[in-house]
Amino acid sequence: MIRTPLLALMTAFLMVSFVSAEDENTRQFENEQQHETYRQLIKELRCPKCQNQNIADSNAPLAEDMRDRTYQMLKEGKSREEIINFMIARYGEFVHYQPPFTKVTSILWWGPLLILVIGVGTAIALTRKKKAVAELTQDERERLEQLRKSRDE
Amino acid sequence: MTKFRWLILFGPLVLFAGLVLFLLKGLGSDPTELDSALVDDPVPQFQAKDLYDTDITYDQSVLHDGPLLMNVWATWCPTCRAEHEFLNELAAKGIPIVGLNYKDDSREKAVNWLNTLGDPYTVNLFDPEGEIAFDFGVYGAPETYFIDHKGVIRYRHVGDVNERNWSNKLQGIYQQLVEEAK
């Protein structure tokens, strides 16, 4: 059961490393840290052309341009944040796989919690009501007792 | 207590109806059509050569005499071929369109295309490496930018401009920019 998804995941990772390896063969980095930042960035930046792929994965010419630009900017000594902001300024928040916490996106974070609270609240309210119905008055209890007796006889 | 009862009975229904409306709206929208991040921003700065004569260089000021359209195109792009005839018609009506030739196979091919199919553009910018387009956030061709008289990007249309979307939507956007310029 567990094997198939795991295999799929492993294949996916393998494919990512193929594309990245091909791309990185032509690039020269000053140090391992810069290389690592580059690898992180191309995994985090989303290709606007072939949506649902990051620019490390995508073979689209635009993804290639974006990788080139990322590399150039790293070489110029630009920071991770500067590169991400540069891409967002041109392609929108869409381009980054970590959406910021804003008024619009807050519903995605708090929505499920809100629904859970409503659900639990409703369940509690409903069970309480049932209890209230289950409590009988003195008269009713006596009548119930009588009915039971008459049935048993 | 009765009020509360109504809320329990009809609350979920209202929530469900809201969700249906929200999802229905999403059903009709095209996820590949992104809003430009540059809407309401001035056009980015650039230096571009003329497509016909590479001795001539333009900068962003060619986009300041709006309202005008900037059309991103290339000869490798079939949809650009499909919209070209309609761009010719718009140009004949006197609508200024600046052409941005985006990462074309060769300059000769692009010039040849304009010579044979007609040239609807008032200015032809040449962007062989796609650097100018990158600053505009272009992610494919064709794209058409609506730029107002102050040189501010007001709208971006992704895909071909045709008779239908022009009369349904785009003409209205352009007319509004014309009104603003008065």
Side-chain angles (χ1 to χ4, degrees):
Chain A
M1 275 294 269
I2 297 166
R3 267 194 190 159
T4 334
L6 196 69
L7 205 69
L9 203 68
M10 281 166 70
T11 321
F13 276 126
L14 214 64
M15 278 158 73
V16 170
S17 53
F18 278 149
V19 176
S20 306
E22 197 190 334
D23 174 66
E24 282 172 26
N25 280 342
T26 53
R27 311 220 190 262
Q28 299 286 320
F29 292 92
E30 277 154 31
N31 51 49
E32 191 45 43
Q33 200 203 335
Q34 193 181 49
H35 195 167
E36 189 49 41
T37 313
Y38 175 75
R39 251 181 256 155
Q40 266 183 17
L41 276 169
I42 62 172
K43 272 182 196 163
E44 252 174 65
L45 290 169
R46 181 180 185 183
C47 175
K49 187 68 195 171
C50 26
Q51 303 182 352
N52 307 331
Q53 272 193 314
N54 57 26
I55 62 170
D57 260 341
S58 173
N59 287 323
L62 179 62
E64 211 171 289
D65 286 355
M66 286 171 77
R67 288 196 298 262
D68 284 346
R69 196 58 81 101
T70 306
Y71 174 70
Q72 268 173 34
M73 287 180 80
L74 276 174
K75 281 280 186 181
E76 287 164 14
K78 295 279 194 306
S79 73
R80 212 186 96 84
E81 296 312 308
E82 279 174 306
I83 295 170
I84 290 171
N85 290 337
F86 175 89
M87 295 295 177
I88 288 175
R90 283 155 185 75
Y91 292 98
E93 293 292 356
F94 178 90
V95 85
H96 194 206
Y97 265 123
Q98 278 173 18
F101 190 85
T102 63
K103 266 185 204 164
V104 182
T105 56
S106 68
I107 191 167
L108 297 173
W109 297 93
W110 298 117
L113 199 70
L114 190 76
I115 287 169
L116 190 74
V117 168
I118 291 175
V120 170
T122 312
I124 289 173
L126 284 176
T127 45
R128 269 197 188 162
K129 230 179 179 180
K130 265 186 192 152
K131 246 184 210 165
V133 170
E135 269 170 33
L136 304 174
T137 60
Q138 189 62 34
D139 286 354
E140 282 170 332
R141 250 178 267 157
E142 279 170 14
R143 206 171 124 65
L144 185 68
E145 206 54 34
Q146 272 179 1
L147 281 170
R148 279 195 182 139
K149 270 182 191 166
S150 61
R151 192 193 57 184
D152 289 344
E153 276 165 11
Chain B
M1 204 59 196
T2 39
K3 255 189 200 168
F4 194 58
R5 192 188 161 85
W6 278 95
L7 195 71
I8 288 175
L9 279 175
F10 290 100
L13 188 70
V14 171
L15 276 178
F16 176 72
L19 191 69
V20 166
L21 280 177
F22 176 73
L23 293 177
L24 211 62
K25 210 181 132 215
L27 207 61
S29 76
D30 182 354
T32 59
E33 262 183 41
L34 305 175
D35 284 337
S36 170
L38 272 79
V39 164
D40 293 335
D41 283 350
V43 290
Q45 295 186 354
F46 63 83
Q47 297 270 320
K49 288 190 166 135
D50 188 279
L51 180 65
Y52 293 107
D53 181 357
T54 50
D55 289 337
I56 304 172
T57 305
Y58 302 108
D59 65 9
Q60 64 280 1
S61 64
V62 293
L63 300 175
H64 289 172
D65 313 319
L68 53 81
L69 310 185
M70 187 185 86
N71 179 247
V72 182
W73 67 283
T75 57
W76 47 257
C77 150
T79 317
C80 301
R81 176 68 188 83
E83 74 171 354
H84 197 81
E85 199 48 50
F86 191 69
L87 293 181
N88 283 338
E89 282 175 35
L90 290 182
K93 282 181 197 160
I95 294 169
I97 311 172
V98 171
L100 179 69
N101 182 256
Y102 171 55
K103 293 182 81 170
D104 220 324
D105 304 333
S106 72
R107 197 175 67 83
E108 288 70 29
K109 253 186 166 176
V111 169
N112 189 36
W113 158 300
L114 293 180
N115 285 339
T116 47
L117 299 172
D119 179 359
Y121 305 117
T122 51
V123 178
N124 273 289
L125 306 174
F126 182 42
D127 187 17
E129 303 301 325
E131 281 164 352
I132 301 164
F134 199 93
D135 285 340
F136 273 86
V138 169
Y139 66 98
E143 283 183 19
T144 305
Y145 290 77
F146 288 65
I147 299 164
D148 73 8
H149 64 289
K150 289 175 186 157
V152 173
I153 297 169
R154 298 293 293 276
Y155 186 74
R156 183 217 357 222
H157 175 75
V158 176
D160 66 324
V161 177
N162 55 45
E163 204 144 358
R164 193 159 35 86
N165 58 29
W166 179 259
S167 54
N168 282 348
K169 185 168 188 186
L170 302 175
Q171 188 173 27
I173 295 168
Y174 180 72
Q175 279 307 325
Q176 199 201 327
L177 298 186
V178 171
E179 291 300 316
E180 282 178 26
K182 278 176 187 170

